[in-house]
Amino acid sequence: MKSLQRLSKVIVSTLLALSLVLGMAGAATAETQYDKIVYAYATFNNIPDTETLATVEEAINAITRDAIGAEVTLKPIVIWDYSSAISLAMQGGEKIDVFQSLGDLNTAISTSMALDITDLMDEYAAESKALIGENWLAACSHEGRLYGIPTFKPIALTPMIIYRQDIVDELGLDMSAVNSVQDVTAVLQAVKDAKPDMTPLAAVNTGNIGLGLTVPDVDYLTDNYYYPKGVLMNDELTVVDYYASQQFADTCALARTWFNNGLVMKDAATTSSTAAELMASGNYFAYIASYSYPEKDTAASLEALGGGFKLGAKIIGSAFLDTTSINALSWMVASTSTVPEKALQFLNLTFTDPQVVNLIIYGLEGRDYVNNGDGTVSYPEGHDASTVPYTAQLSCGTLGNFFIMYPMAGTDPESLVWELEQNQNAKTSVAMGFTFDSSSVKTEYTAVTNVIDQYLPALICGSVDPTTEIPVFLQRLEEAGLNEIIAAKQAQLDAWVAAN
Amino acid sequence: MKHKSNDVKRFQRFATVVLSILAVLTLLPILLIAIASVTDEKVLVSTGYTFLPSKLSLDSYYYMVKQSAMILRSYGVTITVTVLGTLGSVMLTTTLAYPLSRTDFKYKNLLSFFVFFTMLFSGGVVSSYIMWTRIFSIKNTLWALIVPNYLVTAFNVFLVRNYYANSIPHALVESAQIDGAGEMQIFLRIMLPLAIPTVATISLFTGLIYWNDWVNGLYYISDAKLFSLQNLLIRIMNNIQFLKVSTNMALLGTQKIDLPGSSVRMAMAMIGILPIMILFPFVQKYFIKGVVLGAVKG
Amino acid sequence: MQKRRKKRLAKTGPLLLIAAPGLLYLLINNYLPMFGVFLAFKDFNYIKGIFGSDWNGLENFRFLFRTRDAWIMTRNTLLYNAAFIVIGTVVAIFVAILIYELGKKRRVRLFQSALMLPNLFSWVVIGFIVYAFLNADTGFINNTVLKALHITPISWYSTTGPWPFLLVLVYLWKFTGYLSIVYVASIAGIDKSVYEAAQLDGASKIQQIMRVTVPLLKPTIILMTLMAVGRIFYSDFGLFYQVPQNSGRLFDVTQTIDTYVYRGLMELNDVGMSAAAALYQSVVGFMLVLGANTLVRKLDHENALF
């Protein structure tokens, strides 16, 4: 009896010990931790719920676990709140590893949001480095150190006039003769004469009728596209006040003529409608905007939005690349990241691995998109962008490598070739690679921004008389400190020129 | 006698007329939105907003129906948050206001200042954010929509304090004390029941604040399941606003983005206020009753 | 003497206990984060973080005072708030009295619902509504009203003249229903016997209102006004940015401190400067309300805030 008891005790304890050991071994293999990367991107589409997002993350992780030994957490943020959200998250100590700039790269650099990745590129992102090229990477550098990788997409924006093809045919107008914004006047006048109830030119968006885009070869030196504060013009290396230039005065005068002759909508400076809406309403003939797609493509895709009117497009200017064009949408590794090498490796994947980037943009095949067999994709039957569980399709131009993403149905493959060419052949600024650090003139920046906000939209939409307003504008700018900004820019530019 | 009732009647007629005019003027713009939401998009853009559009269309609402799952879910979130938040707020506010209304309370002025100071100074978004997310971990929970900022506001506290101090006679409190009642009993048996008008007031205010809030959701919620109604609508509307700003479009190379048109935006606005528009007259019944009849009698 | 002191102390304990939950909440929600105020004095750097960034004294405040815009934005903020306080209070009380006098009638519900509705709309939507009325090409006013009266259309978003009135009007539209509720509740709390006494003395309805209701509303009016004074350097961003559709031509009459800071910092995204602006608004409001409260305390001791 006793020996039986003792035997059973031994057996039980051995079994227990064995299970303990096996359990621990099992747990150990299951718990191999992968580094985690948080990829924060701006989206225009609906934010999905966490379960759906997890399915897309899992599909990406299946690739990244093998490729770079890390797992990815996707963090889509609404675009209009993106910069604030990232700033808040980083200040609050939240984990952000990879994020993008929306026209504010130089701020990210000067406040140390972006990590210096110069020494990490060769080892962790060599393919991207080769893809983007030294020239473009220079646009994300400051004082010789690299801080970001620009989104690889059609960047060269060509000013075009988008117009109602049916009206052009009806009136027998020759659009091939329209090669600059001055030529446009005649066309608008012809339309006005024939159709007095129509307003020929619509605004492309609030405070912009497209004229600002047609002054050629101006480098805005890191400011945003419509509110420059000190620019380079005519291939010179002297920073000048754009608003004091003759070209600006001429542009405003042209806008004023159009306004006075009823050729442009009266409320362009404050309209709440977009060009697409205006054109679709049938009351407008054309609008001017810059696109990166070839003429044919632009017209076709806009037609789909435009309420069934046949549209045409004509280039009226040429593309010009300055540093801001390239670095406006740059991808950076957060300076607070604990896994910078892996983060950079994942970033590299978004530029080089079609599977990864298409998962981010389109989601899961079958559920969020379908393959059309000819290389293009569409939303599943009966669905569109607002009803599929996951899509970030509208971010296609803001992340990774645009050229390896599946094109949406209806896109012409030829266009991609044309766009790539434009990227390489567009005229570039003499100051390509120079970024301006604004921290020494922050006070002047806020004051000048407010002055420009106040005067510029009305001037370039023609709703005020430039002969009286421009002098007032210039004086207010001076009071606000524009000259200090220009001086600071010039000093930094000279230093950059000397160093290069 | 006759003189008295004529006087009252005349005034009531006057009140009715004036209020009717005001009500109509107030509702006119809203009517315009409602009509715009069922106007054909093209007509809306070409001829503007009118009370008699030439072409009607329910397209905007069809567009919303497609997103109905998302919208219904957000309604659920909003209603839950509003109810819970308002209840919690009333409890915390009425209790806090009571001692502040007692002139024989030693710390009346000190604590009143303590409360009032919060109206003037705030540590800013960043420090609140850090505190709530790091110390209290409320990110992506329902609490994130209820607790930060709105549970107790100095404004409400002072409103209730004001009512306690001026509309509830101190004699009642004194007689209860003489009868040997403790503070809690005084509060529950006297202060709360007699304060119905002001409780109704702050319930309404707080309820509206919770209903309208989208900021807490913006900072603390990234899971679409927990988007409140206004949060959802604002996200969509602001996306559109963002894209209309020229500088932002330039960033994106003016892509082909299909934005909801003006008519859809109006439909969204209507959906945001629909439940309240329907519920309000019912809630009103109790509110008016409470406010008018719940007053302290001589 | 001893008895009295004992009585007072005995009250404190339970009273404090009752107030405790609310106080605790305010402590956590409002006071704890106040440490963030020092961000206004720092040159924020993400790597160094909140505590490690360098101090830069009053540098972050410079942009608030530098230009002539600073004067305009301050003037606008103050004047509009003053107008809102005075006009808003008068209109709210007027409406509240009317509503109260109609008492139990069913139509009161409709009136109040109608007046409350505008409060439900966000400023973005209200901006659309105003635009629907005022835009130069297709707005209701220009297209329908002015056309019928044969007046030339006005470019509303480029003319500064009407906007102070328009903004006050929009403010009233959005907030009258809301504000009147406070006063309705207060009127409801007035002891009815005072009215009975007045009636016995032969006072008419109007006299009753002017001599009884309004004076007895004094505490509430003072309360609301004092609270508004504390916020006098803040403006409702949506009202001054969305409603004028961010129109540059109108800045001279629509630029407030909040819109100026927003516009100025949009590109810069500067943490320290936004914190500095908020601190500036708080400090001025605080000093003003301290002054106002002291004044009230001298004139009417009971109704001071603290």
Side-chain angles (χ1 to χ4, degrees):
Chain A
M1 278 303 150
K2 245 190 179 167
S3 48
L4 202 59
Q5 266 186 346
R6 222 192 264 164
L7 187 60
S8 44
K9 261 196 202 159
V10 171
I11 294 177
V12 169
S13 28
T14 316
L15 280 173
L16 275 174
L18 209 61
S19 61
L20 211 67
V21 170
L22 284 174
M24 268 173 29
T29 45
E31 274 171 12
T32 312
Q33 288 293 342
Y34 288 100
D35 282 328
K36 297 249 188 305
I37 304 172
V38 173
Y39 180 78
Y41 57 106
T43 177
F44 298 79
N45 298 91
N46 296 331
I47 306 270
D49 54 49
T50 32
E51 287 81 18
T52 315
L53 201 56
T55 58
V56 179
E57 282 170 359
E58 188 45 44
I60 297 181
N61 288 340
I63 304 174
T64 56
R65 280 191 201 112
D66 296 324
I68 60 175
E71 286 178 345
V72 174
T73 309
L74 293 178
K75 200 174 160 65
I77 302 176
V78 269
I79 185 158
W80 54 270
D81 188 50
Y82 184 84
S83 302
S84 318
I86 294 288
S87 168
L88 196 59
M90 283 180 74
Q91 285 175 60
E94 257 173 57
K95 184 172 166 61
I96 304 269
D97 296 296
V98 182
F99 69 106
Q100 67 184 117
S101 71
L102 293 174
D104 50 4
L105 178 70
N106 70 326
T107 314
I109 297 178
S110 61
T111 53
S112 301
M113 267 176 105
L115 186 68
D116 178 349
I117 51 177
T118 328
D119 303 321
L120 301 174
M121 283 299 278
D122 289 324
E123 195 181 336
Y124 299 105
E127 295 90 352
S128 299
K129 191 170 175 188
L131 174 74
I132 311 270
E134 293 284 343
N135 269 342
W136 282 29
L137 283 177
C140 295
S141 314
H142 185 69
E143 289 176 357
R145 309 296 296 174
L146 181 67
Y147 292 94
I149 305 180
T151 305
F152 195 58
K153 61 173 218 157
I155 287 196
L157 296 176
T158 329
M160 302 184 197
I161 176 168
I162 317 295
Y163 55 87
R164 290 271 299 274
Q165 186 68 51
D166 53 328
I167 297 186
V168 160
D169 295 335
E170 184 192 325
L171 300 177
L173 300 168
D174 179 13
M175 294 305 285
S176 61
V178 174
N179 291 316
S180 75
V181 85
Q182 283 78 14
D183 300 334
V184 170
T185 315
V187 174
L188 295 180
Q189 192 64 58
V191 171
K192 183 76 180 170
D193 295 334
K195 292 182 183 294
D197 284 336
M198 245 186 149
T199 309
L201 193 66
V204 67
N205 34 45
T206 318
N208 179 22
I209 56 174
L211 280 185
L213 307 159
T214 55
V215 178
D217 298 350
V218 181
D219 183 340
Y220 290 171
L221 294 177
T222 317
D223 292 321
N224 61 47
Y225 284 100
Y226 297 106
Y227 296 174
K229 308 168 193 48
V231 302
L232 294 183
M233 301 181 74
N234 308 320
D235 294 337
E236 287 166 11
L237 279 171
T238 322
V239 183
V240 294
D241 179 2
Y242 175 66
Y243 309 109
S245 68
Q246 189 56 45
Q247 280 106 321
F248 180 70
D250 292 339
T251 308
C252 294
L254 186 62
R256 187 63 177 163
T257 325
W258 287 0
F259 185 86
N260 283 337
N261 293 345
L263 300 179
V264 71
M265 68 184 292
K266 295 234 176 299
D267 248 344
T270 53
T271 180
S272 77
S273 306
T274 56
E277 285 174 351
L278 296 169
M279 293 298 282
S281 75
N283 269 13
Y284 298 87
F285 166 68
Y287 70 97
I288 300 173
S290 291
Y291 290 99
S292 53
Y293 320 103
E295 280 171 351
K296 209 166 39 90
D297 235 30
T298 314
S301 62
L302 292 171
E303 247 175 52
L305 303 175
F309 296 113
K310 193 144 169 32
L311 297 177
K314 178 72 178 66
I315 295 180
I316 53 172
S318 47
F320 179 74
L321 292 180
D322 62 357
T323 310
T324 321
S325 330
I326 299 178
N327 75 15
L329 289 162
S330 303
W331 284 89
M332 299 165 272
V333 174
S335 56
T336 50
S337 171
T338 49
V339 286
E341 298 85 7
K342 296 275 192 257
L344 190 55
Q345 280 183 306
F346 180 68
L347 191 53
N348 187 43
L349 282 182
T350 63
F351 284 92
T352 54
D353 186 335
Q355 281 191 304
V356 168
V357 79
N358 280 307
L359 277 168
I360 300 178
I361 294 288
Y362 288 107
L364 300 180
E365 185 177 351
R367 182 189 74 181
D368 303 316
Y369 71 97
V370 289
N371 250 315
N372 293 331
D374 61 349
T376 61
V377 299
S378 321
Y379 293 112
E381 187 71 42
H383 282 282
D384 63 23
S386 55
T387 57
V388 287
Y390 175 91
T391 184
Q393 191 273 327
L394 291 173
S395 306
C396 64
T398 63
L399 63 90
N401 183 342
F402 176 78
F403 297 97
I404 56 174
M405 294 175 194
Y406 304 139
M408 290 287 286
T411 335
D412 185 355
E414 296 274 309
S415 321
L416 286 180
V417 175
W418 187 87
E419 287 154 10
L420 208 49
E421 262 176 29
Q422 284 285 81
N423 269 0
Q424 279 141 6
N425 300 338
K427 178 161 185 212
T428 56
S429 159
V430 294
M432 179 65 86
F434 166 69
T435 53
F436 174 59
D437 179 355
S438 56
S439 27
S440 62
V441 283
K442 282 201 275 215
T443 310
E444 287 77 12
Y445 247 79
T446 55
V448 169
T449 306
N450 270 286
V451 172
I452 298 180
D453 266 359
Q454 188 170 357
Y455 289 92
L456 187 61
L459 274 171
I460 57 170
C461 291
S463 30
V464 291
D465 183 0
T467 47
T468 49
E469 285 291 299
I470 292 189
V472 179
F473 182 31
L474 292 177
Q475 204 218 339
R476 293 290 313 277
L477 283 173
E478 199 190 304
E479 281 169 14
L482 183 59
N483 292 332
E484 275 96 329
I485 299 181
I486 292 183
K489 273 193 178 174
Q490 188 69 63
Q492 289 187 22
L493 183 64
D494 292 338
W496 176 83
V497 168
N500 287 21
Chain B
M1 276 311 219
K2 231 174 154 183
H3 171 80
K4 199 166 52 167
S5 61
N6 266 354
D7 198 22
V8 173
K9 276 214 190 104
R10 222 178 329 144
F11 192 80
Q12 283 185 335
R13 267 198 301 253
F14 171 73
T16 307
V17 168
V18 173
L19 283 177
S20 307
I21 297 176
L22 284 179
V24 167
L25 286 178
T26 307
L27 289 178
L28 267 177
I30 302 180
L31 189 60
L32 200 59
I33 303 185
I35 294 180
S37 68
V38 292
T39 307
D40 179 79
E41 178 68 35
K42 288 204 197 128
V43 168
L44 199 58
V45 177
S46 57
T47 55
Y49 296 63
T50 65
F51 286 102
L52 300 165
S54 49
K55 189 160 169 225
L56 293 176
S57 131
L58 284 175
D59 280 348
S60 316
Y61 288 100
Y62 286 148
Y63 180 89
M64 305 301 292
V65 164
K66 271 196 301 184
Q67 323 226 25
S68 53
M70 211 167 49
I71 296 182
L72 285 174
R73 201 170 46 189
S74 68
Y75 266 135
V77 171
T78 301
I79 293 177
T80 312
V81 166
T82 304
V83 169
L84 289 180
T86 307
L87 280 175
S89 178
V90 167
M91 288 197 297
L92 289 176
T93 308
T94 49
T95 49
L96 179 53
Y98 171 52
L100 297 185
S101 69
R102 292 282 296 276
T103 45
D104 51 351
F105 180 41
K106 186 168 164 194
Y107 299 114
K108 171 184 191 288
N109 279 338
L110 181 66
L111 290 181
S112 296
F113 183 75
F114 180 84
V115 173
F116 183 65
F117 194 72
T118 66
M119 263 186 114
L120 302 171
F121 275 90
S122 103
V125 172
V126 181
S127 32
S128 293
Y129 181 80
I130 295 179
M131 186 190 71
W132 288 119
T133 52
R134 298 276 283 270
I135 304 182
F136 292 97
S137 309
I138 60 167
K139 222 170 188 246
N140 278 327
T141 65
L142 207 61
W143 298 114
L145 298 175
I146 300 177
V147 177
N149 297 325
Y150 306 122
L151 266 188
V152 178
T153 58
F155 183 76
N156 285 350
V157 172
F158 284 117
L159 278 184
V160 177
R161 181 192 85 158
N162 182 58
Y163 192 88
Y164 282 158
N166 296 310
S167 309
I168 300 183
H170 197 61
L172 284 175
V173 176
E174 275 169 10
S175 60
Q177 281 173 335
I178 293 176
D179 287 346
E183 290 299 345
M184 201 55 186
Q185 279 178 312
I186 298 182
F187 177 69
L188 290 172
R189 300 256 177 86
I190 301 180
M191 304 310 281
L192 213 45
L194 292 181
I196 295 192
T198 196
V199 168
T201 305
I202 62 167
S203 303
L204 188 64
F205 284 166
T206 311
L208 280 177
I209 289 182
Y210 275 113
W211 184 272
N212 286 341
D213 173 56
W214 50 275
V215 177
N216 276 353
L218 191 66
Y219 290 146
Y220 300 110
I221 308 282
S222 52
D223 184 349
K225 284 202 302 294
L226 287 174
F227 285 168
S228 71
L229 181 66
Q230 292 288 4
N231 195 314
L232 193 63
L233 296 180
I234 292 278
R235 276 168 191 267
I236 302 177
M237 296 250 206
N238 279 8
N239 258 356
I240 304 172
Q241 296 288 89
F242 180 87
L243 290 173
K244 287 192 320 198
V245 176
S246 35
T247 48
N248 298 324
M249 285 301 268
L251 282 182
L252 311 161
T254 356
Q255 277 188 89
K256 346 158 190 183
I257 298 179
D258 194 1
L259 299 174
S262 309
S263 183
V264 175
R265 275 176 262 159
M266 294 300 108
M268 286 200 265
M270 293 306 292
I271 289 194
I273 67 167
L274 217 54
I276 295 224
M277 264 202 336
I278 299 176
L279 285 178
F280 203 68
F282 295 106
V283 172
Q284 272 287 33
K285 199 166 61 165
Y286 299 102
F287 184 77
I288 296 283
K289 218 197 210 170
V291 169
V292 174
L293 300 181
V296 178
K297 303 233 156 91
Chain C
M1 271 303 159
Q2 266 233 334
K3 240 190 189 170
R4 223 172 137 211
R5 211 184 301 151
K6 231 178 151 187
K7 227 175 146 195
R8 282 201 143 203
L9 283 173
K11 282 203 213 322
T12 311
L15 282 177
L16 267 181
L17 216 58
I18 293 180
L23 287 176
L24 189 64
Y25 175 81
L26 285 179
L27 191 67
I28 298 178
N29 184 63
N30 298 72
Y31 280 91
L32 218 50
M34 278 192 195
F35 72 86
V37 160
F38 65 70
L39 270 179
F41 303 98
K42 285 209 167 200
D43 184 11
F44 186 75
N45 179 299
Y46 285 85
I47 295 186
K48 297 184 189 163
I50 296 189
F51 296 105
S53 295
D54 305 322
W55 297 98
N56 66 0
L58 295 176
E59 189 60 31
N60 290 332
F61 292 86
R62 277 214 303 144
F63 81 109
L64 295 164
F65 302 99
R66 197 195 183 280
T67 61
R68 118 200 225 285
D69 275 340
W71 157 240
I72 292 187
M73 73 185 184
T74 311
R75 177 201 72 183
N76 287 347
T77 311
L78 287 176
L79 287 182
Y80 276 115
N81 276 331
F84 292 157
I85 293 176
V86 173
I87 303 179
T89 306
V90 169
V91 175
I93 295 180
F94 177 66
V95 169
I97 293 177
L98 294 180
I99 288 182
Y100 185 76
E101 287 303 324
L102 286 180
K104 309 162 215 170
K105 296 200 196 298
R106 232 176 293 155
R107 67 189 84 148
V108 174
R109 262 194 274 159
L110 285 172
F111 290 144
Q112 247 190 333
S113 309
L115 290 175
M116 287 293 310
L117 269 185
N119 198 262
L120 297 172
F121 290 104
S122 66
W123 283 115
V124 176
V125 174
I126 297 181
F128 288 149
I129 300 177
V130 175
Y131 187 74
F133 276 89
L134 296 181
N135 85 65
D137 294 302
T138 58
F140 183 69
I141 300 284
N142 275 359
N143 240 13
T144 313
V145 176
L146 292 186
K147 239 193 217 170
L149 298 174
H150 297 292
I151 307 178
T152 46
I154 304 176
S155 191
W156 295 96
Y157 288 96
S158 306
T159 332
T160 56
W163 279 90
F165 303 104
L166 287 173
L167 289 177
V168 173
L169 203 62
V170 173
Y171 174 85
L172 287 177
W173 182 75
K174 183 160 186 187
F175 290 111
T176 299
Y178 188 83
L179 290 174
S180 67
I181 294 197
V182 177
Y183 294 107
V184 170
S186 291
I187 298 177
I190 297 178
D191 193 348
K192 296 298 161 286
S193 59
V194 186
Y195 287 111
E196 281 161 18
Q199 271 176 355
L200 285 175
D201 283 346
S204 70
K205 199 72 194 154
I206 308 265
Q207 281 176 321
Q208 280 173 42
I209 292 175
M210 297 309 290
R211 298 279 174 84
V212 177
T213 313
V214 173
L216 286 179
L217 278 179
K218 197 171 53 154
T220 311
I221 298 177
I222 293 181
L223 176 70
M224 298 288 278
T225 307
L226 274 179
M227 293 204 282
V229 166
R231 309 275 311 164
I232 207 164
F233 249 46
Y234 294 91
S235 58
D236 197 333
F237 180 78
L239 173 59
F240 292 95
Y241 187 88
Q242 303 285 7
V243 173
Q245 294 287 1
N246 194 16
S247 169
R249 310 290 313 283
L250 301 176
F251 276 20
D252 278 347
V253 294
T254 62
Q255 181 90 285
T256 60
I257 299 177
D258 294 275
T259 58
Y260 182 83
V261 172
Y262 178 78
R263 290 186 175 118
L265 294 183
M266 251 210 310
E267 266 176 69
L268 289 179
N269 243 329
D270 190 291
V271 173
M273 286 162 92
S274 18
L279 186 58
Y280 168 61
Q281 289 173 302
S282 302
V283 170
V284 177
F286 177 62
M287 296 199 301
L288 283 177
V289 95
L290 264 188
N293 190 61
T294 317
L295 196 66
V296 169
R297 230 203 269 164
K298 287 213 165 72
L299 298 175
D300 191 347
H301 183 90
E302 276 171 17
N303 283 312
L305 268 180
F306 48 84

